[in-house]
Structures are given as structure tokens and as C-alpha cells.
Amino acid sequence: MTTDLWMLVWSAVLCLALPLPYLVARATTPGGAAWGLGNRERDLAFPAWAGRAERAHRNLVENLAPFAILVLVAHVTGKANATTALGATIFFWGRVLHALVYLAGIVYLRTAMFAVATVGELMILRQLFG
């Protein structure tokens, strides 16, 4: 399998793993397990980092589909190359760092890591039109 596809797979694994921190926070918060198993009609206070973890996960979910489309179209059209592989790698590591920095609550660095991942996507997109 190519680097592009491996980075897509590892990005999917990251997306599957990101809920774990906030699920643990919910399960260990008093009343959290009942809240999680119930209809969630009322809010329950969770630690701030758990909210950041959930938002980091949602952000990756929103960005994973466009990334997957770019990687797969590059492969189907025969335009996958060293640049798309580098772009996919940059996207993946940018998203890993984005998640870690988001959980840590480092505001401006979080935005920078989002931008790094976006640069990776733009690198792939550029190859589709080249």
C-alpha cells in the first residue's frame, strides 16, 4: 500500500481513537455513566479537557472526508506521487498534533496545527490539477 493510503488509514485510526479520552471522562464523572446511557436531556458538567477532546474529534470527523476524497481521487486518476504522499503525511501528523494541542488547551498552537494539516490537503489538491 502507498504512503498516501497508509496515512488515510492512520487518520481513520486516529478518528476512531479520539473519542476514548472524553468517553473515559464521561464514564468517570459522577452521574456520567447514567447520563451517557440515558436520553441526555440535561447537560452534565464534564472536565474542560473532555470538552476539548470531543471538539478535536468532531473537527477531525469534519476534515477526514475531504482528505479521504483527495487521497482516493489522486489514486484513481493516477496522480498520486511523492508530493501527494508528503501532503498526506503532513495532514496526518498535523492532525495528531492538533488533537494533542487541543486537549492541552494551547489556543494559538492549535490553530497552527490545523493550518499545517490543511497545507497537506492543499498539496494533494494541487497535484490533481497539475
Side-chain angles (χ1 to χ4, degrees):
M1 216 162 46
T2 64
T3 299
D4 309 49
L5 293 175
W6 274 116
M7 292 300 105
L8 180 55
V9 168
W10 284 114
S11 295
V13 170
L14 177 63
C15 192
L16 292 170
L18 270 179
L20 296 177
Y22 68 83
L23 291 175
V24 167
R26 288 177 178 171
T28 58
T29 297
W35 178 87
L37 296 171
N39 290 328
R40 300 179 194 145
E41 294 171 346
R42 62 178 174 76
D43 288 333
L44 188 65
F46 296 108
W49 65 265
R52 291 191 303 270
E54 183 176 7
R55 290 188 298 277
H57 177 240
R58 278 188 293 183
N59 189 271
L60 179 56
V61 168
E62 293 168 358
N63 287 274
L64 191 56
F67 173 65
I69 290 166
L70 291 171
V71 168
L72 295 173
V73 168
H75 277 275
V76 168
T77 60
K79 295 192 176 184
N81 58 29
T83 301
T84 62
L86 179 59
T89 302
I90 289 170
F91 174 85
F92 171 70
W93 288 110
R95 295 310 306 201
V96 168
L97 293 172
H98 177 264
L100 293 173
V101 169
Y102 210 152
L103 264 77
I106 307 170
V107 180
Y108 299 111
L109 191 54
R110 181 196 82 215
T111 304
M113 293 305 98
F114 177 85
V116 166
T118 301
V119 166
E121 289 178 297
L122 293 174
M123 289 172 67
I124 300 168
L125 180 63
R126 174 67 181 99
Q127 296 303 300
L128 296 179
F129 293 99

